[in-house]
Structure formats: C-alpha cells, structure tokens
Amino acid sequence: GQQVMQIPQYQHVQEGEDFTTYCNSSTTLSNIQWYKQRPGGHPVFLIQLVKSGEVKKQKRLTFQFGEAKKNSSLHITATQTTDVGTYFCAVYGGSQGNLIFGKGTKLSVKP
Amino acid sequence: GAGVSQSPSNKVTEKGKDVELRCDPISGHTALYWYRQRLGQGLEFLIYFQGNSAPDKSGLPSDRFSAERTGESVSTLTIQRTQQEDSAVYLCASSLEGQGLNSGNTIYFGEGSWLTVV
C-alpha cells in the first residue's frame, strides 16, 4: 500500500531558529496534507497541496509540493514555543480513499 | 454536532475483556476513519467508512478488531479479548465526503479514546 517516509523523527531547536520536516514517497501523489498534533491533543489539519511545485504559506509556515509530486516539505521560520508538537504528512492510500499518515516529526523548541 | 465526539474519553480494562469505543462524526460527514496511536508514535490507519460502500478494513491488526457504522452516523470500534499491546489512544475522524483522488476535504479528528489494558 501507499507509504510515506517522514524525516527527521525528532528536531530540537532554539526559539527563533528555523525548522523543516520532509515527506517522501516512492510513487507520485495526487495530493498531500499536513497536520499538527500538540502534546496530548489530536491532529489538526493545516493544509493540502495538490499541484506540482505548489507553494503555500500560512504566516511563518511554508508548505511545498515537489515538481514530481513525490515529496513535500513544511518549513517554519523563526520557531516559537507555540510551534511545539508533532507534524504529520498524510496521503491517500488507495482508490477507496483511506488516509495514510507519515510517522511524524516531533518538534521541541527551547525558549 | 459541532465536532467529532468520542466516548469514553478514557477506559481502563483488564486483559481479556472486550471494549467498545464510540464515535459520533460531524453531522453530514459521509466519511469516517479510525486510527490507533500508541504513546509517542504515529497514526496507524485501522478502518475507513464511506457512505454505503463496503468499509476499507485493510488496517485492522487482527480479527479481534472490528468496527461498524450505522448508515452515515455513529460508528463503534470493538476490540475483543484485549491485550496489553492494545493500549493506545483510538482516534476517530470524519470528513464531508469520500476522499477520492482529486478531492481534498479536511478531516476532523475527535479527542480520542485513551485505552489502557492492565
């Protein structure tokens, strides 16, 4: 079935530093979604990317979809303590539409 | 309802007992998902319901796990003869319609049911 590899597994940064997480697939993706899960919370949808080479921004967050639609990245500029949590990418696993999540990147931010 | 509602929020059960977890999706959402998340781990897909189509059960880890959905409303995840490795949070999510290749409806998660098997 469809799988996505997400790296790194953990990232520790100093507040103000940038952060990037990557999601890679061996097959072409129709689209990709990104979610954030705060400690003790549930995943919350951030964004969906559909088009080849697409770039979307949400304040300090920048999302990119690769030209070949096989990889995606989430970049946070000047991290804040409120960015702490685990960031997941998610793709559709098959024609029926089940959504498969990457293993996530856990971000910790030191004040 | 306003959001995805799950119950119970916490459940402690003895090994070997059966448990039922309930999910009430957002009204009008035809797609419903169950995921399992062990402590500090990622989301493991379990099962997906879309309208009246046959559910995608490809993620269920064993025949001790089963799920039902009544029409396009409430779903119940049942775990029989629970084992300690079943301890996890079970997350339910729903979305407006089926997640076809070109659709992009947001899925909304409930708060989860935290299961501890002792």
Side-chain angles (χ1 to χ4, degrees):
Chain A
Q2 182 65 267
Q3 288 190 351
V4 285
M5 300 300 295
Q6 194 172 351
I7 56 170
Q9 189 174 359
Y10 301 96
Q11 187 78 55
H12 309 282
V13 300
Q14 193 77 31
E15 188 172 23
E17 292 181 341
D18 293 354
F19 159 77
T20 306
T21 174
Y22 301 89
C23 199
N24 299 300
S25 170
S26 58
T27 60
T28 302
L29 304 169
S30 59
N31 51 49
I32 191 164
Q33 298 182 354
W34 285 93
Y35 292 77
K36 177 183 179 181
Q37 185 177 26
R38 294 183 187 275
H42 60 276
V44 174
F45 174 83
L46 294 176
I47 209 160
Q48 175 172 269
L49 304 173
V50 178
K51 298 177 182 177
S52 169
E54 188 171 16
V55 177
K56 288 188 176 180
K57 293 192 175 185
Q58 291 179 351
K59 297 182 180 178
R60 292 178 296 104
L61 277 62
T62 302
F63 304 83
Q64 290 189 328
F65 203 7
E67 293 290 341
K69 299 181 74 173
K70 289 186 176 182
N71 55 75
S72 180
S73 65
L74 158 59
H75 179 83
I76 302 178
T77 303
T79 55
Q80 300 176 359
T81 55
T82 53
D83 296 325
V84 165
T86 302
Y87 293 84
F88 293 97
C89 61
V91 301
Y92 296 117
S95 59
Q96 291 199 59
N98 54 316
L99 197 60
I100 304 299
F101 283 76
K103 292 191 179 299
T105 296
K106 186 173 182 179
L107 173 65
S108 61
V109 180
K110 188 175 182 180
Chain B
V4 178
S5 178
Q6 292 189 244
S7 62
S9 56
N10 285 283
K11 175 74 174 178
V12 179
T13 189
E14 292 181 353
K15 179 181 174 181
K17 300 281 189 182
D18 297 352
V19 295
E20 281 190 357
L21 308 176
R22 175 190 169 105
C23 173
D24 205 339
I26 294 172
S27 179
H29 281 195
T30 63
L32 186 148
Y33 305 78
W34 282 100
Y35 292 89
R36 178 171 68 179
Q37 188 174 34
R38 293 194 170 102
L39 189 64
Q41 302 298 309
L43 283 80
E44 179 184 3
F45 167 76
L46 296 178
I47 189 168
Y48 164 64
F49 296 90
Q50 170 51 46
N52 295 318
S53 300
D56 178 355
K57 302 181 181 180
S58 60
L60 294 178
S62 76
D63 58 7
R64 296 188 295 107
F65 288 73
S66 62
E68 292 183 349
R69 187 179 186 192
T70 307
E72 294 183 350
S73 59
V74 172
S75 175
T76 302
L77 176 68
T78 302
I79 309 173
Q80 296 178 311
R81 305 181 301 281
T82 52
Q83 303 294 314
Q84 287 185 331
E85 63 261 28
D86 299 333
S87 296
V89 58
Y90 289 82
L91 290 160
C92 177
S94 72
S95 70
L96 189 59
E97 62 184 44
Q99 300 292 334
L101 291 178
N102 295 313
S103 71
N105 296 295
T106 301
I107 73 169
Y108 298 87
F109 281 85
E111 297 290 334
S113 290
W114 293 77
L115 175 66
T116 303
V117 182
V118 297

